[in-house]
Amino acid sequence: MKTLSETWFADGYIDFELKKYTLLAYLQEIHRYFNANKLYPQLADIIFHYNNLAAFRENKKYLQEQFPKKLTGIQIEKLQVLYEAMIQDDELMQELEEIINYATQEIKQTISNGTEIYEFVEDKLVIFPVGLVPLDTIEGYFFLSTGTHADTRVYQYRLSFFEKHDEKYRSIRTEFIDTWTRGIVNTYENIKAELIRIKTDLPNPAVYSIETELKFPVDETLLPIAKRSLVRYISNKAA
């Protein structure tokens, strides 16, 4: 996948036409994935770049708090130096603002295209519990069934909590367990019973089924969206 550096708009020679073609080549690659219904990690990547441009334009801390693992101290310092130079140089300021304004609009449109696919997939997901749900839903399993196939992917999940800007968020970590073929013998309930038998560390797990009629790429699209949808489903039920 063609990528942009975190500080692509400030790297090297700051020239609108040069940065424009750099950006368009990157977005063309993103659209190639979107046209194949592959959203991740491409969608997350362009959202990062959009937020990065917005933060720089608004003279914030360049996502030092929002994306501490993305930007290094050297990159942040480079952006700060560039911002100070921009304030003192009207010509540089105008060129950089033109680059950022153009890039923001182009990336925003690309994000919109990706979001449409995301929402379409999300709308096609059906989530329901398998058997009784225990009070503790922090850890358990979910089954992912796609298309018309009887094959069901089984994942173990664990929710975690973190706070950001005085708001609480839930994240999910997953581990692929195995693939079962559903049938008269292997119903969802039977798969759940087998999991409890072979994985004694979770004697009373929360188990959910996530079904979709779509045949989209699993790892790049269906699984990431299913995970986020499950987090919201569990959160709403717990509210």
Side-chain angles (χ1 to χ4, degrees), residues 22-36:
T22 299
L23 175 67
L24 291 180
Y26 164 74
L27 293 181
Q28 184 179 32
E29 182 82 354
I30 295 292
H31 282 293
R32 186 172 70 83
Y33 281 93
F34 284 1
N35 289 338

Side-chain angles (χ1 to χ4, degrees), residues 8-25:
W8 68 273
F9 57 93
D11 292 341
Y13 185 59
I14 299 177
D15 174 75
F16 176 78
E17 291 298 324
L18 176 63
K19 299 299 183 182
K20 173 182 175 180
Y21 288 119
T22 299
L23 175 67
L24 291 180

Side-chain angles (χ1 to χ4, degrees), residues 42-97:
Q42 289 76 26
L43 182 57
D45 195 58
I46 58 173
I47 290 174
F48 166 78
H49 285 299
Y50 180 84
N51 290 335
N52 199 14
L53 289 170
F56 181 81
R57 184 168 55 186
E58 295 171 10
N59 190 22
K60 292 182 179 178
K61 292 293 185 180
Y62 317 122
L63 304 187
Q64 186 173 12
E65 295 180 357
Q66 290 178 283
F67 295 92
K69 295 180 181 179
K70 267 284 189 178
L71 292 181
T72 66
I74 294 176
Q75 290 168 331
I76 293 170
E77 182 180 358
K78 180 178 181 179
L79 291 178
Q80 289 171 336
V81 170
L82 178 61
Y83 194 89
E84 292 171 2
M86 187 178 74
I87 293 175
Q88 300 171 7
D89 189 329
D90 291 340
E91 185 176 345
L92 177 61
M93 178 186 294
Q94 184 176 355
E95 189 77 8
L96 197 56
E97 284 185 343

